[in-house]
Amino acid sequence: MKKLAVFAILCVGIVVAAIWYFRPGSEFSPREVIAFSEAPDRRLAYRTMTLIYPSTDVEHDAPVTTFPRDERDIDFTWEWDGRTRTLDDYVAQRNLQGIFVLKNGEVAYEEYFGEAQRANTFTSWSVAKSVVSSLIGIALMEGKIDSLDDPTSKYAPEYTGSDYGDISVRHLLMMSSGIDFNENYEEPRSDIRRLFLDTFLLNKDVDKTIRQYASNREPGQDFDYISTNTQVLSAILRGAYDRRLMDLFNEKMAAPLGISGGTWLVDREGPSGKELGYCCLQLTLEDYAKLGQLYVQGGKVGGVQVLPPEWPEFVATPPTEDHVPEGAGELGYGHHFWLIGDEPGAMTMQGYDGQFVHIDPEEEVVIVLVSADRSHRDFDDVPEFVRLFQQVKAELR
């Protein structure tokens, strides 16, 4: 009799586990998430993220805009790591899916590789962090945020009583929160992997997960890039406007820029789902270029000041010595934008596995790259994408 009871319990456990793993009745399941995370070639997944994870849509009533075209021949040849490299090399090694280049607000170059097409929306990963920074600038300009030195809890009461509740908006933008968090994507037991697990497999409320993390030093002391800081900025925006993050993006950026569509991943299905502000906005390459061109134009679109006029310079300025690039071509950090040594004023929206929106206001150039690059960390000093950016800008002068 005991054996029968144990067998019955085991069978029930197997059925429950199978229901959780396959999640019938839902568009999304742990099976799909796990299969994606283990795929060696992620090109298709990076074009179809909304088939794997729940999302919300870019929606607005404004007309869609496109850039005029002045296409040019560009010599994609550069020196890197003691070798002569070409665009074909970059495509082959780094699974580049597309490149889109603007010069003086006109399309100078556009090309797609493999099965990628112009109409595809590509995941951004942490490029979305720079979008959240832009929305913070807008909230400051509109008086929804009084000061960057205000604490998180003033706008996001769900963080009251946590260490994050006392951290200022400024320190979050600087990536200098002092929160103890391991952002190593490749380490199996890292905090960022746990955050992905809680969000994408267990569908936990992202704020409830993040408020548990504690400080191990005072804010503002150093540069420590962690995704939780941006998610807290997203909560600040939601609280400041009492609206969803996607609603703000639709009204404040997508509509004035004429963005054609897209999606933003959320922590769970249904109306209570929250956009993952630290990652996971999906747009076409041209629409990513519109985000970059906004900064080239000093935050203006057709005479309308979308961003504070001082915001492009602010985000491109290292706030401390710890944020300054160590040498020419090496990377530093501003306020949710990456910086390149010896290229003052230039900035890059940068995401995991090779997603980039490089912006150079002085050169009036925007370069968008989308990849599924599992080898993009193979550099000691100057990353190869910097050499690609430099070559493109030199060709367009």
Side-chain angles (χ1 to χ4, degrees):
M1 198 68 172
K2 288 183 180 179
K3 289 183 179 180
L4 184 60
V6 170
F7 178 74
I9 292 170
L10 181 61
C11 288
V12 169
I14 291 172
V15 170
V16 170
I19 291 172
W20 174 82
Y21 185 69
F22 292 100
R23 202 167 290 172
S26 171
E27 296 181 49
F28 314 100
S29 70
R31 177 184 63 83
E32 294 170 308
V33 173
I34 292 169
F36 160 73
S37 66
E38 294 179 348
D41 184 348
R42 300 182 178 180
R43 284 175 291 182
L44 176 60
Y46 285 2
R47 301 193 304 270
T48 58
M49 294 289 280
T50 53
L51 300 180
I52 304 169
Y53 305 117
S55 64
T56 186
D57 294 333
V58 173
E59 295 178 350
H60 57 83
D61 296 328
V64 172
T65 61
T66 58
F67 292 106
R69 306 184 78 86
D70 180 21
E71 297 186 62
R72 316 193 191 179
D73 292 328
I74 296 177
D75 177 12
F76 287 99
T77 306
W78 59 89
E79 297 297 320
W80 180 75
D81 196 29
R83 293 169 289 165
T84 299
R85 299 275 289 173
T86 67
L87 186 60
D88 288 342
D89 296 328
Y90 197 94
V91 171
Q93 181 176 345
R94 307 194 182 281
N95 280 339
L96 182 66
Q97 300 211 72
I99 178 171
F100 190 100
V101 180
L102 293 177
K103 173 68 174 178
N104 301 325
E106 298 177 329
V107 181
Y109 192 89
E110 181 180 13
E111 189 174 1
Y112 298 87
F113 308 97
E115 297 180 356
Q117 300 176 13
R118 177 182 294 176
N120 291 144
T121 58
F122 300 85
T123 197
S124 63
W125 292 120
S126 291
V127 166
K129 288 181 169 70
S130 302
V131 175
V132 170
S133 170
S134 303
L135 290 169
I136 289 289
I138 293 170
L140 192 67
M141 181 175 68
E142 294 181 345
K144 294 295 185 178
I145 293 175
D146 296 324
S147 169
L148 293 183
D149 295 313
D150 286 340
T152 291
S153 58
K154 180 174 179 177
Y155 305 99
E158 59 266 49
Y159 284 95
T160 300
S162 72
D163 283 3
Y164 258 123
D166 296 328
I167 296 169
S168 70
V169 180
R170 186 183 305 278
H171 287 148
L172 295 173
L173 282 171
M174 291 166 52
M175 288 292 181
S176 298
S177 65
I179 292 290
D180 185 10
F181 187 89
N182 181 350
E183 185 80 6
N184 188 334
Y185 303 102
E186 311 308 323
E187 187 177 314
R189 297 183 181 275
S190 68
D191 293 315
I192 191 64
R193 295 278 283 234
R194 181 67 193 180
L195 180 61
F196 287 160
L197 174 67
D198 286 347
T199 301
F200 294 128
L201 290 183
L202 305 181
N203 299 127
K204 290 185 177 181
D205 182 290
V206 66
D207 291 311
K208 289 181 180 178
T209 300
I210 289 174
R211 66 167 281 124
Q212 302 171 18
Y213 291 102
S215 302
N216 62 3
R217 60 204 183 281
E218 287 297 314
Q221 290 190 353
D222 58 3
F223 167 57
D224 184 25
Y225 180 97
I226 57 174
S227 290
T228 48
N229 291 343
T230 314
Q231 192 61 40
V232 176
L233 286 173
S234 301
I236 288 169
L237 286 164
R238 295 196 313 266
Y241 284 93
D242 192 23
R243 297 174 65 187
R244 291 188 65 161
L245 185 65
M246 181 57 102
D247 291 340
L248 298 177
F249 177 72
N250 285 337
E251 178 187 332
K252 309 296 182 183
M253 299 189 76
L257 295 178
I259 286 176
S260 62
T263 55
W264 208 322
L265 302 190
V266 294
D267 60 357
R268 58 199 182 281
E269 296 178 80
S272 62
K274 298 174 182 176
E275 291 80 8
L276 302 175
Y278 64 89
C279 74
C280 310
L281 177 66
Q282 283 72 230
L283 300 174
T284 66
L285 265 64
E286 183 170 19
D287 285 338
Y288 283 123
K290 293 170 188 175
L291 299 175
Q293 186 64 20
L294 177 63
Y295 278 84
V296 169
Q297 295 171 180
K300 281 187 177 182
V301 178
V304 177
Q305 195 72 50
V306 175
L307 296 172
E310 69 280 3
W311 199 253
E313 181 180 357
F314 171 73
V315 299
T317 302
T320 74
E321 284 298 318
D322 200 41
H323 293 72
V324 176
E326 291 186 2
E330 296 186 41
L331 300 183
Y333 205 73
H335 295 86
H336 268 51
F337 285 74
W338 290 90
L339 312 177
I340 297 174
D342 285 357
E343 295 195 22
M347 64 199 92
T348 306
M349 306 178 180
Q350 183 172 325
Y352 180 67
D353 276 1
Q355 327 310 321
F356 304 98
V357 181
H358 178 67
I359 306 156
D360 194 322
E362 183 175 335
E363 300 272 359
E364 295 190 72
V365 169
V366 176
I367 305 169
V368 181
L369 302 180
V370 290
S371 309
D373 179 14
R374 305 298 295 143
S375 67
H376 72 278
R377 298 167 193 80
D378 60 353
F379 60 88
D380 294 325
D381 297 311
V382 179
E384 186 171 21
F385 58 80
V386 169
R387 295 298 184 224
L388 190 159
F389 298 157
Q390 291 171 340
Q391 175 64 16
V392 170
K393 289 190 290 187
E395 285 284 300
L396 293 176
R397 289 186 188 121

